Amino acid sequence: MNVTIKDDNNIPKMLKNLKKLKGSTIKVGVPDGDLADIAAVHEFGATITAKKKYLAIPLQRKYKGRSPREFNDLFFVPAKSGNGGTLCKAKGKGKKAKVEACYWLTKSVKIPERSFLRACVDEKEKDFYKFAEKQLDKWLQSNSDPEPMLNALGLQFRGYVQKYIRDLSSPANAPLTKAVKGSGNPLIDTGNLVGSIEFEVKS
């Protein structure tokens, strides 16, 4: 009886995959663009200064996302401090007339630091390393291309960041901001920020 022994040498393939893994990086965050600028403001904090004279801050939800220039019936009430004031609208006529405050005008607004990337790394570092060790062990046993494992790592950390954004509560929004937004989460408004979190694998 003839016996044929076949011995597959997987070492070259493993060395190739290890080389690919060594040169790989995973980037998690907000892609470049307007949202990246907004993300940076939240991550590090900033003072937003008016490019011209004033910033217009909506005082009611119905004015959110709309410019005062869309209205031709607003009038200005200066603040007693001399810094800015309020754009108002008259509602009704005669003795029953009321004044509705529409926008607060100010020269600058300070946005406090609400880190969601660095703080998330600090909070989830140990959990992520445990997850990564398990994924690495599976990958070594499979002796396959590392890209699926790297994608799994990217997805996992993106999920960490998105959950951190949804759960963040401090520093809280000012009562006015909370009322206009209709929610108490300082980083959730339209949902664009949390939805913009992406990961990228580079080999």
Side-chain angles (χ1 to χ4, degrees):
M1 181 174 69
N2 294 327
V3 177
T4 303
I5 299 176
K6 186 177 180 181
D7 183 16
D8 292 328
N9 184 1
N10 289 321
I11 293 178
K13 182 181 178 181
M14 180 175 287
L15 291 174
K16 181 181 178 181
N17 287 333
L18 284 170
K19 184 178 180 180
K20 185 176 182 181
L21 179 64
K22 183 180 179 181
S24 299
T25 59
I26 304 172
K27 182 179 179 181
V28 180
V30 181
D32 291 338
D34 292 340
L35 272 174
D37 294 336
I38 294 172
V41 167
H42 288 304
E43 180 70 22
F44 301 102
T47 297
I48 310 298
T49 304
K51 291 182 178 179
K52 293 183 179 179
K53 194 170 183 180
Y54 293 116
L55 297 170
I57 312 298
L59 296 176
Q60 299 186 52
R61 200 179 306 179
K62 63 183 177 181
Y63 295 112
K64 179 183 170 186
R66 302 185 68 182
S67 168
R69 292 185 178 86
E70 295 180 38
F71 307 93
N72 56 15
D73 55 350
L74 300 180
F75 60 91
F76 179 66
V77 178
K80 291 181 180 179
S81 64
N83 179 21
T86 308
L87 286 178
C88 301
K89 178 187 290 189
K91 300 191 72 175
K93 295 181 180 180
K95 294 181 179 180
K96 294 184 178 180
K98 295 182 179 179
V99 174
E100 179 183 71
C102 305
Y103 295 90
W104 171 45
L105 300 185
T106 182
K107 292 181 179 179
S108 65
V109 172
K110 187 174 182 179
I111 308 297
E113 178 182 319
R114 295 185 176 100
S115 173
F116 60 92
L117 289 173
R118 293 168 298 153
C120 182
V121 169
D122 292 340
E123 182 180 289
K124 288 295 184 180
E125 186 176 18
K126 291 182 179 178
D127 291 341
F128 182 70
Y129 279 137
K130 287 179 182 178
F131 178 81
E133 285 176 0
K134 292 179 180 178
Q135 295 298 312
L136 183 61
D137 185 55
K138 291 179 182 179
W139 172 72
L140 288 171
Q141 293 182 45
S142 68
N143 194 23
S144 59
D145 188 280
E147 187 170 347
M149 177 193 67
L150 294 169
N151 285 328
L153 295 177
L155 278 169
Q156 182 74 4
F157 206 87
R158 182 181 71 173
Y160 286 153
V161 174
Q162 289 177 324
K163 186 177 186 305
Y164 196 95
I165 290 174
R166 293 189 182 101
D167 293 345
L168 190 141
S169 59
S170 180
N173 281 139
L176 171 62
T177 304
K178 190 184 295 186
V180 172
K181 284 172 56 175
S183 70
N185 187 307
L187 294 183
I188 298 290
D189 187 4
T190 62
N192 288 339
L193 179 60
V194 70
S196 72
I197 303 300
E198 296 182 3
F199 75 92
E200 180 182 14
V201 173
K202 287 187 177 182
S203 300

